[in-house]
């Protein structure tokens, strides 16, 4: 029987050897925050989509389970590069946690393995990784699908994910003005106060997000909405929209008419057809799977064109793929090893 022996945390002991065959790193949320910066995460996620287009991945899988007040999902994928990694993530998503229990909406763990021999390399808190890798995927999409001069943003939903989304956008576009909307005005005001100095541009709370969207060329929706927040008449010509909130078949932020009249790029076609905004457009009969322009991997690799006209409306349907998780988690792991990270456990036979 395997016996896991937890070792004491000792960040003040640089150079501790943790890369032996039986060493497994334990990496908590604060560790991830210290080890993973947004620019590096964006680069890792973009490289992962490029690797996917080249076939240098192990097949991804996903499983979702509903629970009272929330749900759980399991996502797994492998990435083959200089070293082969496999990651499986279990996330709990309970939207009422912050207001009712003071807990994060999303909690979970990522199990990172060596894909050549199966060794468990690390257990990582998934909260920070999920937030950053999701925003990184939006940034990669915006880099290819938004107009080069795009700089006015509307953020709908001002939770944790909205913070990462704006920081990621600021990494790939020179932002000039940000409109922020949340059902809770206090939440939106806190967002404005926190984000304005971080991204060094004007951030303004708005009461009517539809007016703000009409003035924007970048639109990010990151809410738990179960009914459309925007319709086609709200969208200005040339806008880039990242729909981030829909990660189950019951969630929806965009009216299907938006997808039907836009250039739609998905993170994973089958997944978006099941739980994303595409799912609702397919059910409404206004789109077929063949109408989807591309998966993001196709655009990043150049197999499919990105934006082709200045007035083209582009939509990124982001349901979150384990490919992003393994890209971010392996980067954190490699940086932790390089830094002599010392919180680990040893699995003895």
């Amino acid at each position: 029987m395997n016996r896991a022996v937890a070792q004491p945390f000792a960040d003040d002991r640089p150079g501790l050897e943790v890369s032996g065959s039986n060493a497994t790193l334990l990496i908590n949320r604060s560790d991830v925050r210290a080890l993973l910066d947004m620019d590096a995460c964006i680069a890792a996620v973009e490289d992962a989509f490029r690797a996917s287009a080249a076939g240098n991945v192990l097949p991804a899988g996903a499983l979702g389970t509903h629970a009272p007040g929330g749900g759980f999902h399991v996502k797994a994928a492998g990435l083959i590069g200089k070293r082969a990694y496999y990651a499986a993530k279990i996330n709990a998503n309970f939207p009422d946690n912050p207001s009712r229990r003071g807990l994060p909406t999303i909690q979970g763990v990522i199990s990172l393995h060596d894909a050549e021999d199966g060794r468990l390399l690390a257990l990582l808190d998934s909260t920070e990784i999920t937030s950053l890798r999701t925003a990184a995927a939006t940034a990669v999409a915006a880099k290819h699908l938004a107009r080069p001069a795009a700089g006015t943003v509307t953020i709908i939903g001002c939770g944790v994910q909205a913070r990462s989304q704006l920081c990621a956008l600021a990494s790939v576009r020179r932002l000039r003005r940000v409109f922020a909307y949340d059902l809770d005005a206090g939440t939106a005001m806190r967002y404005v106060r926190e984000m304005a100095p971080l991204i060094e541009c004007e951030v303004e709370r708005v009461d009517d997000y539809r007016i703000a969207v009409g003035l924007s060329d970048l639109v990010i929706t990151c809410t738990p909405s179960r009914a459309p927040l925007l319709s086609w008449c709200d969208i200005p010509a040339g806008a880039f929209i990242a729909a981030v909130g829909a990660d189950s078949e019951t969630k929806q932020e965009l009216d299907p008419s938006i997808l039907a009249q836009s250039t739609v790029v998905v993170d994973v076609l089958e997944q978006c057809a099941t739980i994303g905004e595409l799912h609702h457009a397919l059910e409404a009969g206004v789109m077929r799977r063949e109408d989807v322009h591309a998966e993001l991997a196709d655009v990043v690799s150049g197999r499919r064109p990105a934006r082709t006209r200045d007035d083209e409306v582009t939509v990124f349907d982001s349901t979150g793929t384990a490919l992003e998780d393994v890209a971010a988690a392996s980067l954190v792991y490699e940086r932790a090893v390089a830094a002599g990270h010392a919180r680990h456990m040893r699995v003895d036979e």
Side-chain angles (χ1 to χ4, degrees):
M1 178 179 296
N2 291 343
R3 178 168 56 88
V5 181
Q7 304 297 321
F9 185 48
D11 276 341
D12 57 344
R13 293 160 59 193
L16 179 66
E17 176 60 52
V18 293
S19 58
S21 61
N22 291 327
T24 299
L25 296 191
L26 303 178
I27 302 177
N28 66 23
R29 187 176 182 181
S30 61
D31 298 331
V32 173
R33 191 178 290 118
L35 291 164
L36 185 61
D37 61 282
M38 183 60 78
D39 286 344
C41 189
I42 292 170
V45 167
E46 185 166 21
D47 285 345
F49 278 108
R50 194 172 290 113
S52 178
N56 295 325
V57 294
L58 299 176
L63 172 68
T65 302
H66 293 291
F72 298 87
H73 67 247
V74 182
K75 293 180 178 178
L79 184 60
I80 301 170
K82 292 180 180 178
R83 183 173 183 180
Y85 292 102
Y86 189 83
K89 180 177 75 174
I90 302 175
N91 260 9
N93 189 327
F94 286 76
D96 292 335
N97 269 2
S99 60
R100 292 184 180 180
R101 297 177 176 84
L103 295 172
T105 297
I106 295 176
Q107 302 170 90
V109 65
I110 296 174
S111 175
L112 182 69
H113 298 257
D114 186 311
E116 292 184 353
D117 58 24
R119 279 181 299 130
L120 177 60
L121 301 174
L123 294 174
L124 308 92
D125 181 278
S126 72
T127 309
E128 197 75 12
I129 287 177
T130 298
S131 179
L132 265 65
R133 64 76 152 155
T134 303
T138 294
V140 173
K143 177 180 173 181
H144 293 272
L145 298 171
R147 290 182 292 195
T152 303
V153 188
T154 293
I155 299 279
I156 302 176
C158 295
V160 171
Q161 181 56 230
R163 286 159 170 77
S164 296
Q165 289 285 324
L166 194 54
C167 288
L169 275 181
S171 294
V172 297
R173 288 291 182 268
R174 186 178 297 278
L175 303 184
R176 298 181 298 274
R177 191 176 188 186
V178 178
F179 300 112
Y181 173 84
D182 195 278
L183 281 172
D184 185 318
T187 297
M189 285 306 301
R190 285 192 294 275
Y191 183 83
V192 168
R193 289 194 298 268
E194 291 175 20
M195 298 308 299
L198 282 179
I199 62 169
E200 299 180 340
C201 83
E202 180 183 357
V203 182
E204 175 187 347
R205 184 186 73 83
V206 295
D207 293 315
D208 190 331
Y209 62 80
R210 289 185 175 86
I211 293 176
V213 167
L215 300 172
S216 300
D217 35 34
L218 298 157
V219 180
I220 311 296
T221 59
C222 42
T223 75
S225 178
R226 298 180 184 279
L229 302 171
L230 294 169
S231 59
W232 177 247
C233 63
D234 299 315
I235 310 302
F240 164 80
I241 306 165
V244 179
D247 58 3
S248 74
E249 67 275 10
T250 60
K251 293 183 181 179
Q252 183 179 12
E253 297 177 305
L254 305 182
D255 188 271
S257 61
I258 296 176
L259 279 75
Q261 300 180 74
S262 302
T263 298
V264 177
V265 174
V266 297
D267 52 8
V268 181
L269 178 58
E270 290 304 316
Q271 191 167 284
C272 289
T274 304
I275 61 174
E277 296 295 339
L278 176 62
H279 159 72
H280 298 287
L282 295 173
E283 285 220 324
V286 299
M287 282 188 72
R288 303 164 301 164
R289 293 183 187 219
E290 310 90 86
D291 297 324
V292 172
H293 175 68
E295 291 189 328
L296 185 56
D298 297 319
V299 174
V300 167
S301 67
R303 291 198 307 206
R304 294 286 291 158
R307 171 180 290 275
T308 58
R309 306 187 319 274
D310 193 59
D311 64 348
E312 184 179 11
V313 175
T314 55
V315 173
F316 175 50
D317 190 2
S318 174
T319 54
T321 166
L323 181 65
E324 300 159 8
D325 294 316
V326 70
S330 59
L331 175 59
V332 171
Y333 169 75
E334 290 176 356
R335 287 183 166 186
V337 170
H341 185 91
R343 184 190 289 115
H344 67 286
M345 65 182 182
R346 189 177 63 253
V347 181
D348 296 325
E349 296 297 333

